[in-house]
Amino acid sequence: MDFIVDVAELLKGADSVAVLTGAGISAESGVGTFRDASGIWNKLDPSKWATEEGFRSSPSMVWEWYQDRRKIIKDASPNKAHYSLVSLEKLGKKVTISTQNIDNLHQQAGSKNVLELHGNIFRNKCIECGKPYAKEIMNDELCKCEFCGGIIRPDVVWYGEQLPQDVWQMSEQAAIDSSIYLVIGTSGAVYPAAGLAILAKRAGSTVVIINTEPTELDDYADFVIREKAGIAMPEITARIR
Ligand code: BJW
Ligand code: ZN
């Protein structure tokens, strides 16, 4: 595989590694991506439904879609790519993962430093007052906020919504401080997350993309590894120890 050896050599000498992950890193765990042929959004148009307006117009339909995804994610386990990032940490590197994924799989694998840019599908909050809704919701019925009666929604970041500020600032800092910036399994189509790779590049980091397909960030990369994350990542980390 092209560049595996080069990237492993670079990582060997790097103290600070920052990572941006997207749906593609969880694809081999059986969690669908968004924009590929088999993507979950072939059935639902994201720009319409992954928005507050979409939810308000058809709350039951959007809620059921999230409940279906919760079930899939609950049954999923981390794969070799998630575990490779854990092993990088165990080799003594400072690894900061900014993930666009809402599936908890990095944390489940054991990564310590995970920044959730787009929230977490296992959390819910009130659409009106924003208070967290602590009870686990198992059924497909809509729930109401115990404080204000507002409808409960998943605590994820929809189009047009701000990313959590603290998480965003830490992600920017990690990109700036990194000597290597790994971009794994994201199309690079959604901002501001994709901008982190560009920020890292401008700050002098070496940008490495691992993806089965071309991405919108390829022009910013020093190395593009065109391979499944679950194959490329263990190949790389196996060469470091
Ligand atoms: C593999 C693989 C394997 C497959 N191995 N690889 C600048 C310009 C224009 C517009 C904007 C801009 N800045 C912001 C915007 C607006 C908008 C936006 O980005 N629009 C774009 C479409 C251009 N952004 C926003 O609205 C954001 N908020 C914001 O900007 O706030 C500021 C603001 C607020 C108010 C007013 C004004 C400003 C919020 C974006 C939130 C995105 N939310 C979603 C849904 C989350 C909840 C949920 O999951 O339901 O996040 S959208 C969806 O896309 C999800 C993902 O995290 C995100 C990224 O997708 P990802 O992960 O890249 O997946 P895919 O499917 O696209 O790619 C998978 C990749 O994996 C592919 O490349 C495959 O090849 C690869 N792959 N198998 C390796 N085995
Ligand atoms: Zn409320």
Side-chain angles (χ1 to χ4, degrees):
M1 265 181 280
D2 282 354
F3 304 135
I4 293 273
V5 175
D6 310 64
V7 172
E9 279 304 312
L10 278 167
L11 276 170
K12 248 186 217 175
D15 297 326
S16 196
V17 181
V19 189
L20 174 66
T21 62
I25 197 170
S26 298
E28 290 159 79
S29 295
V31 181
T33 59
F34 294 92
R35 293 170 188 83
D36 307 328
S38 61
I40 47 179
W41 280 352
N42 286 337
K43 290 153 232 148
L44 280 184
D45 175 4
S47 56
K48 186 157 183 212
W49 299 111
T51 63
E52 186 177 329
E53 303 80 72
F55 183 69
R56 283 188 187 277
S57 71
S58 297
S60 297
M61 192 267 278
V62 176
W63 178 256
E64 277 171 37
W65 180 52
Y66 276 96
Q67 289 297 78
D68 287 348
R69 290 173 58 199
R70 268 185 195 128
K71 283 176 205 139
I72 293 168
I73 290 170
K74 212 169 190 168
D75 288 341
S77 305
N79 64 55
K80 285 181 181 171
H82 297 102
Y83 287 117
S84 298
L85 290 172
V86 180
S87 71
L88 261 187
E89 223 170 274
K90 291 196 172 138
L91 287 164
K93 316 272 173 207
K94 180 173 172 14
V95 179
T96 308
I97 303 173
S98 299
T99 187
Q100 299 170 84
N101 300 343
I102 56 173
D103 59 21
N104 229 25
L105 291 179
H106 286 298
Q107 294 93 325
Q108 213 176 304
S111 281
K112 296 271 187 303
N113 216 353
V114 183
L115 301 169
E116 293 178 325
L117 295 167
H118 293 164
N120 188 305
I121 198 169
F122 296 114
R123 289 194 309 260
N124 294 293
K125 66 179 182 186
C126 172
I127 195 165
E128 304 300 341
C129 72
K131 288 207 176 77
Y133 186 83
K135 280 181 248 165
E136 192 182 8
I137 305 170
M138 297 307 287
N139 56 26
D140 287 351
E141 312 288 299
L142 290 172
C143 295
K144 294 272 167 71
C145 174
E146 49 209 348
F147 302 100
C148 77
I151 302 176
I152 298 303
R153 56 161 283 183
D155 190 1
V156 298
V157 179
W158 283 329
Y159 280 114
E161 295 181 332
Q162 301 279 358
L163 276 60
Q165 261 213 332
D166 50 344
V167 164
W168 177 250
Q169 276 165 5
M170 287 189 278
S171 291
E172 280 191 321
Q173 200 58 52
I176 291 167
D177 293 345
S178 66
S179 43
I180 301 203
Y181 200 79
L182 302 175
V183 181
I184 309 175
T186 179
S187 58
V190 172
Y191 282 81
L196 289 168
I198 301 170
L199 177 66
K201 178 68 191 167
R202 293 200 176 127
S205 189
T206 302
V207 175
V208 179
I209 291 183
I210 300 172
N211 200 302
T212 46
E213 302 290 331
T215 82
E216 299 192 18
L217 292 168
D218 287 5
D219 287 350
Y220 298 93
D222 296 278
F223 297 97
V224 176
I225 298 175
R226 189 84 66 232
E227 182 54 270
K228 285 185 176 178
I231 294 177
M233 282 305 296
E235 288 269 345
I236 291 170
T237 49
R239 285 174 166 79
I240 300 177
R241 58 204 73 198

